[in-house]
Amino acid sequence: RWNLDNWVGRVRLFVDAWETSWSSPLFGAHPGGFQWALESKGMVTVSAHNMWLNVAADWGWPLTMVLACALFLALWSSVMGLRRLSRGPRNTEGWVEARILLSGTVAASVAVLVHGIGEIVPPELVFLLLGLATAGRYCLVPRVRACSADLVS
């Protein structure tokens, strides 16, 4: 039996998840397939304790790459929105809200990236972050820029 409270036990889980993911790389073992693979070895655990390897083992590498791209897109979109906000005046309507939303999305995206290495993060959260980043960048930032244009004219 593994001791999952220490790093050695988690590394062993990472290795098993890696091997399971490559046993069926396109579609994965199936949802819950990693757990089933471990149970067949006499081990019991809820997950691989690594979001990326767990998704790869259960759903396959293509979906894992889609998930990673969505997270990086959320991060990039938020950073670009913040950059665009910083170029305009700060006293316009919606500036504070846009800044809070985009800053929160940047922080949450980085947290998911880092935390996903050592624990499971719900994959749905990544798509929520992508939605928030897109809303901030393409809905709030243009509104703030339009308000600043009205102030200038």
Side-chain angles (χ1 to χ4, degrees):
R1 184 162 167 96
W2 299 328
N3 181 3
L4 297 179
D5 295 331
N6 65 29
W7 188 245
V8 175
R10 287 192 182 218
V11 169
R12 185 67 203 145
L13 280 176
F14 297 167
V15 170
D16 282 342
W18 179 261
E19 291 169 356
T20 303
S21 72
W22 286 107
S23 68
S24 181
L26 288 179
F27 301 108
H30 62 74
F34 177 66
Q35 282 179 296
W36 180 79
L38 284 183
E39 286 173 5
S40 67
K41 294 179 180 180
M43 302 315 235
V44 177
T45 185
V46 181
S47 70
H49 292 279
N50 180 306
M51 177 177 79
W52 308 105
L53 290 175
N54 207 84
V55 171
D58 286 349
W59 294 96
W61 284 104
L63 188 63
T64 304
M65 292 300 115
V66 167
L67 191 64
C69 288
L71 188 57
F72 280 109
L73 184 60
L75 183 60
W76 178 80
S77 185
S78 298
V79 168
M80 291 297 108
L82 284 170
R83 190 170 166 215
R84 189 168 180 205
L85 268 180
S86 67
R87 294 184 188 153
R90 289 178 168 80
N91 59 351
T92 58
E93 178 186 336
W95 185 85
V96 172
E97 293 87 353
R99 185 92 177 169
I100 289 170
L101 175 68
L102 292 171
S103 298
T105 307
V106 168
S109 297
V110 170
V112 167
L113 278 171
V114 173
H115 189 70
I117 293 170
E119 199 53 65
I120 291 293
V121 177
E124 298 85 12
L125 180 63
V126 172
F127 294 104
L128 174 66
L129 290 173
L130 180 59
L132 289 174
T134 303
R137 182 168 183 212
Y138 295 108
C139 298
L140 289 179
V141 172
R143 193 180 88 200
V144 170
R145 302 282 289 182
C147 289
S148 64
D150 290 343
L151 288 176
V152 172
S153 55

